[in-house]
């Protein structure tokens, strides 16, 4: 991604429409932890004011007091035809999901939200190549080793599938290495592959380091990473839940 593309991506936002302030804040906090820019609205009218200024990449709206109303108004405006809507509802009525599908919503989710399901839905409706595993910002001291030698750095992005290892000592794409770091008092070790590397020269939004995919990691270590990520995601949210 070049500088212009990165700047354009930073301008993209998800619009959250919910008349309940506490629910709206919970949803927004979760999206922020997913790395999304957001705007919020309490009514369909407020939502359309934002959309008239700049279309969002997605709208997350509740069923009341006007999810369908908002949808119908958006569908009648050619500028917003390609904006996906994710419908949230606390109603136990199973027919609402079918109505949402027929009504043109991109997805239907029940509140309280399942964190991982919500992440997958947001990724699917926004990204061309959606990630399945939640990624979070982190700052974990770590070390790597390969036939070339050992190196020190920090994990600044973490998921069950891999990490971003911040360092100036880069390895070529495809390199195999061993990555070690500590999480909640436990030593984690994984065999990994370098997917890409970046440097300061690629633009102000790039930090130097390597994107790393875990090739081999124990089930216990992967589950610990998953639990750590969900714990961090839930911090500060009052009503979000996860399925176990």
């Amino acid at each position: 991604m070049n500088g212009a593309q990165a700047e354009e991506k930073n301008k993209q936002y998800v619009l959250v429409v919910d008349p309940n302030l506490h629910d709206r804040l919970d949803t927004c906090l979760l999206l922020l932890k997913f790395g999304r820019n957001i705007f919020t609205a309490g009514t369909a009218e407020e939502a359309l004011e934002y959309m008239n200024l700049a279309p969002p990449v997605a709208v997350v709206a509740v069923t009341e007091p006007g999810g369908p109303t908002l949808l119908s108004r958006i569908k009648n405006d050619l500028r917003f035809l390609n904006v996906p809507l994710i419908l949230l509802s606390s109603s136990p009525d199973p027919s609402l999901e079918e109505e949402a599908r027929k009504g043109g919503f991109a997805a239907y989710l029940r509140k309280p939200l399942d964190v991982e399901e919500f992440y997958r839905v947001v990724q699917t409706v926004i990204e061309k190549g959606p990630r399945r595993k939640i990624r979070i910002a982190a700052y974990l001291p770590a070390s790597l080793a390969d036939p070339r030698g050992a190196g020190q750095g920090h994990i600044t992005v973490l998921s069950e599938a891999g990490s971003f290892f911040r360092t100036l000592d880069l390895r070529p794409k495809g390199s195999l290495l061993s990555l070690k770091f500590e999480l909640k008092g436990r030593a984690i070790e994984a065999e990994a592959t370098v997917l890409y590397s970046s440097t300061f020269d690629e633009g102000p939004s790039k930090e130097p380091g390597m994107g790393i995919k875990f090739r081999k990691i124990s089930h216990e270590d992967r589950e610990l990473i998953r639990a750590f990520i969900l714990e961090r995601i839930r911090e500060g949210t009052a009503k979000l839940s996860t399925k176990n």
Side-chain angles (χ1 to χ4, degrees), residues 56-139:
V57 290
V59 175
V60 179
V62 297
T63 51
E64 300 90 21
T69 301
L70 177 62
L71 174 65
S72 63
R73 294 176 70 173
I74 291 174
K75 289 178 68 175
N76 290 329
D77 193 317
L78 295 178
R79 296 172 298 168
F80 308 138
L81 283 178
N82 296 320
V83 176
L85 274 88
I86 300 170
L87 180 64
L88 307 183
S89 176
S90 56
S91 171
D93 186 353
S95 66
L96 288 177
E97 184 170 3
E98 179 65 17
E99 291 178 13
R101 185 185 65 79
K102 292 180 178 178
F105 285 90
Y108 172 86
L109 297 173
R110 290 185 181 178
K111 298 192 292 184
L113 293 172
D114 175 282
V115 172
E116 293 173 288
E117 181 183 25
F118 187 40
Y119 178 82
R120 287 192 294 269
V121 166
V122 171
Q123 286 287 106
T124 299
V125 302
I126 294 177
E127 301 290 348
K128 294 181 180 178
R131 293 184 174 92
R132 304 293 294 176
K133 304 298 184 182
I134 300 176
R135 305 165 76 241
I136 62 167
Y139 195 74

